[in-house]
Every structure is written in C-alpha cells, then in structure tokens.
Amino acid sequence: MTVSVLLVDDQALLRAGFAMVIGSQPDMRVAAQAGNGREAVEAVRAHRPDVVLMDVRMPELDGLAATREITALADSGRAPDTKIIVLTTFDTDEYAVEALRAGAAGFLLKDVQPEVLLDSIRTVTRGGAVIAPSTTRRLLDATLLAAPERRSDPAHQARLATLTEREREILLEVATGDSNAEIAARMYLSEATVKTHVGRILAKLDLRDRVQAVVFAYEAGLVGGSS
C-alpha cells in the first residue's frame, strides 16, 4: 500500500524538504501541498490523503482549527479517517496539546530526523500514535496541570470509574508513551491481551486513540501527581 501524504505549512521551503524525504520512499507519495489550514481542509476533501503533516501557526486558518475541521469531516463520514501529525517549531508550543484534543494522531518537532518522520507516518497509518518524547511530559504538565480543577472534574472521575483496576494500570502505562509490546513485557501479558485492554479503555472513555488517552490520563489526575 502506498501512503498518501498532505503537506501543510506556510513555508514553501519546509514543504519542499518534507516532500523530498517522503518522495524518496517507495511506499509513500505526496498527494498535495497546502499553505494554510483552509487550503488543508479543501485538500483533504479533494485528495483524501492517508496522513496530513500539519503546521500549527498559519494564516487564514491555523493548524489547530484545521485539525478540528478535518476530524469533524472524518467523524461525519464526509471524509476518510485521515491521520494528522502536528509539526511544531518549539517544544513549548501550547497549541500542540490542543491539537491532540482536537483529534491529531500526534506531534513532532520540525527538526525531527527523516527516519523518525517516516516511521511516524507509517505508525499512524497503522492506527498508532506518535508523540515527540522530549516534549510530551513538559507540554502536558504545562498545559494540563496548570488547571488543577480539571483533575477534580466529576465527569472525568465518573469516566475513570468505569475502568477495571487492570484497565487503569494499563491506561497509566499508555500515558507514559510505551507501546503495546513494551507494556506486555513489563506486565507479563501477551501483546494481544494488552491490545484488547487498550481497545476497551478507548471504548469506555469514548476516546479516539492513544494520544487522547494520554491527555485524559493527565486531565483526570491519573498521571501528574493527584491520584
């Protein structure tokens, strides 16, 4: 299968660089390019890409708003289930966490190594999630833990209460960014068992993917020092 990728960035030079990296792969192709979020939404409708590499700060419509619109299109069945990877210049970019809430499959820094970028595209295509390990904890701490009232939100706690003790344990492991295989090895379970538990967790909490599970774990206080 050839993975089609939409490149969204207001800097043409950056788009050209990413296009060269992606075009060098036999299993990938650049479906289209866009210079702002509005163009990105239209390009998703027109080209139905598998993955979008989305800049955050752009004119007309920023990457956060575009991510919300594309996610809404997919949820309504008016567009394919396109996976979005947010690319940010600075690891202090507060919009990254908001993009994860909006439905992005992850985020990376723009100076990411080419092989990591390519692996990330393949990962989200398979239904996984990618988060830059050097920035995840800091961004979530700064953005989510700055609002401690969220951790006592009855709605969050009610959803958390639907999980079994084992599911809470696995959610905690997911929140650290570990893969199913890593969780399975640590908890002495089969990878298939972990995958089943993760699926049940997402269904019970009404979450789209592992990235939103990480955000939920922070908001509910499961990670970050409140429970």
Side-chain angles (χ1 to χ4, degrees):
M1 183 187 76
T2 299
V3 179
S4 59
V5 182
L6 169 64
L7 304 177
V8 186
D9 198 293
D10 60 343
Q11 297 185 46
L13 187 59
L14 279 176
R15 295 201 308 269
F18 287 131
M20 289 180 61
V21 172
I22 292 167
S24 70
Q25 301 301 297
D27 61 337
M28 295 183 191
R29 67 179 179 88
V30 176
Q33 299 186 29
N36 60 61
R38 180 56 57 206
E39 292 178 0
V41 175
E42 295 306 316
V44 167
R45 287 195 179 103
H47 299 279
R48 304 176 70 84
D50 298 307
V51 177
V52 177
L53 297 184
M54 180 76 76
D55 187 20
V56 175
R57 293 172 176 163
M58 295 180 291
E60 295 192 37
L61 189 71
D62 65 29
L64 174 59
T67 296
R68 287 199 185 102
E69 290 198 21
I70 293 169
T71 299
L73 287 173
D75 289 345
S76 67
R78 290 177 290 163
D81 187 18
T82 299
K83 306 300 183 182
I84 302 172
I85 300 176
V86 169
L87 293 171
T88 179
T89 302
F90 305 106
D91 61 5
T92 57
D93 194 336
E94 68 277 11
Y95 291 116
V97 171
E98 293 301 325
L100 300 183
R101 290 200 188 103
F107 70 90
L108 299 170
L109 297 182
K110 286 185 179 179
D111 63 357
V112 61
Q113 293 297 312
E115 60 272 17
V116 175
L117 176 66
L118 296 171
D119 285 345
S120 297
I121 292 172
R122 295 184 179 103
T123 295
V124 299
T125 301
R126 295 192 298 266
V130 292
I131 309 176
S134 64
T135 64
T136 304
R137 187 61 59 91
R138 186 162 56 254
L139 276 169
L140 289 170
D141 282 349
T143 305
L144 300 177
L145 301 184
E149 66 277 4
R150 284 180 175 150
R151 302 198 297 274
S152 59
D153 182 355
H156 280 92
Q157 296 308 313
R159 291 164 69 190
L160 192 60
T162 66
L163 302 182
T164 66
E165 187 61 33
R166 174 64 82 184
E167 288 167 348
R168 286 173 63 104
E169 292 173 357
I170 290 179
L171 175 58
L172 184 59
E173 296 292 333
V174 169
T176 68
D178 286 345
S179 67
N180 287 350
E182 291 169 328
I183 296 172
R186 184 177 298 112
M187 300 184 73
Y188 302 102
L189 300 171
S190 71
E191 189 172 347
T193 298
V194 173
K195 183 177 180 180
T196 297
H197 279 304
V198 171
R200 288 174 179 166
I201 291 167
L202 297 180
K204 285 184 176 182
L205 299 179
D206 192 24
L207 301 173
R208 170 180 292 270
D209 53 33
R210 297 170 75 96
V211 176
Q212 290 197 340
V214 173
V215 174
F216 176 86
Y218 274 75
E219 289 185 320
L222 190 62
V223 180
S226 78
S227 72

